[in-house]
Each structure stands twice: as structure tokens, then as C-alpha cells.
Amino acid sequence: MTTPGTDLSGLGWILDENILRLPHTLRAVLLSADGLTAASSEGVERDMADRMAAAVSGMQSLSREAAEFADCQESPWELTMIQYTDGFIFTMAAGPGTFLAVATTADADVEAVSYAMEKAIDRLGHEMSLPARDSAGSSA
């Protein structure tokens, strides 16, 4: 993701500004492929962020393993969306070994959330000096 010891926790403001401004968006977490929290949006307690980072890391890994079912085993993973009766969780590749997870209510505009996540990832990549996300999910 980044060099050891790099503190990304100061990037939560990007999540607040780009994600939480959307109606029906609850929280966002930036995490590493190994399930560690890098940054979180306002109001996310560290314990919740760490549990979500571990869960999302596993979901992303399972999503990549399922690529064969869609004849996409050579394509980089980009997005996983889980729908519940009362909401959604979106997980998107954010850079090499880095992912963005966003939780929303069921009333969220799925297209607007996805677009805002892409914009936040562009901004995060610039702040973290990461390359573009076009192959971000392939080697996580």
C-alpha cells in the first residue's frame, strides 16, 4: 500500500468531503488489502473501522476468487457491492493494495455513490502519491 510507518489517518477529511456529503451515506473507511485501517470518515470509531477493514478485505478477496464465474479471471477487480434490505456496502479498488469501503442506507443513489468514490479515490491517490487505479485490484 505505502511504505511501512506511513500514517494515512490524516486523509479522513477526503472521505468526509467526498463521500459523507452525499445523502444517505453513513460512513467510509480506507483500508489495506491485509485488513488494516488506513483512514476513516468522521464519527467512525477505531474498533468499528478495524472490524470493517478486516471484513472488507475478506469480501474483496472472495470477489476476486469468483472472477472465473464471470470469465473475468484476467481482469482486475474493481468493485463489490452488497445490498441489504436497509442499505449497501460498496468496496472499490483505491490503489495498489488499498481499498475504499462505503456504507449507505437503502435510499442512497447507487450511481452517485460510485461516482463519489471514484472522485475520492482520485484525490486519495494524489495525496498518497499512488498510481492510477486501472490495475489496482489485480495484485492485492
Side-chain angles (χ1 to χ4, degrees):
M1 175 174 82
T2 58
T3 57
T6 302
D7 181 15
L8 302 177
S9 61
L11 297 177
W13 67 271
I14 294 174
L15 303 178
D16 297 339
E17 199 172 280
N18 289 271
I19 305 294
L20 292 189
R21 66 174 177 74
L22 295 172
H24 311 292
T25 303
L26 303 172
R27 55 193 65 87
V29 176
L30 180 68
L31 60 130
S32 66
D34 55 359
L36 299 176
T37 302
S40 59
S41 61
E42 183 178 352
V44 178
E45 294 181 15
R46 183 66 188 204
D47 186 49
M48 176 187 270
D50 289 344
R51 286 192 326 267
M52 191 61 201
V56 166
S57 177
M59 291 184 319
Q60 185 276 333
S61 180
L62 289 171
S63 295
R64 285 189 302 124
E65 286 300 317
E68 180 182 6
F69 187 67
D71 292 334
C72 294
Q73 54 271 44
E74 299 302 318
S75 299
W77 169 84
E78 293 181 9
L79 172 72
T80 299
M81 183 179 87
I82 298 174
Q83 182 175 358
Y84 301 94
T85 301
D86 295 327
F88 298 94
I89 296 175
F90 301 83
T91 305
M92 186 178 284
T98 309
F99 312 107
L100 176 60
V102 174
T104 71
T105 69
D107 295 323
D109 180 335
V110 171
E111 186 176 349
V113 172
S114 180
Y115 180 76
M117 290 176 73
E118 289 180 15
K119 291 300 174 189
I121 287 167
D122 287 346
R123 204 159 171 195
L124 287 163
H126 176 68
E127 293 292 326
M128 295 185 298
S129 301
L130 293 175
R133 74 178 196 102
D134 57 8
S135 63
S138 61
S139 62

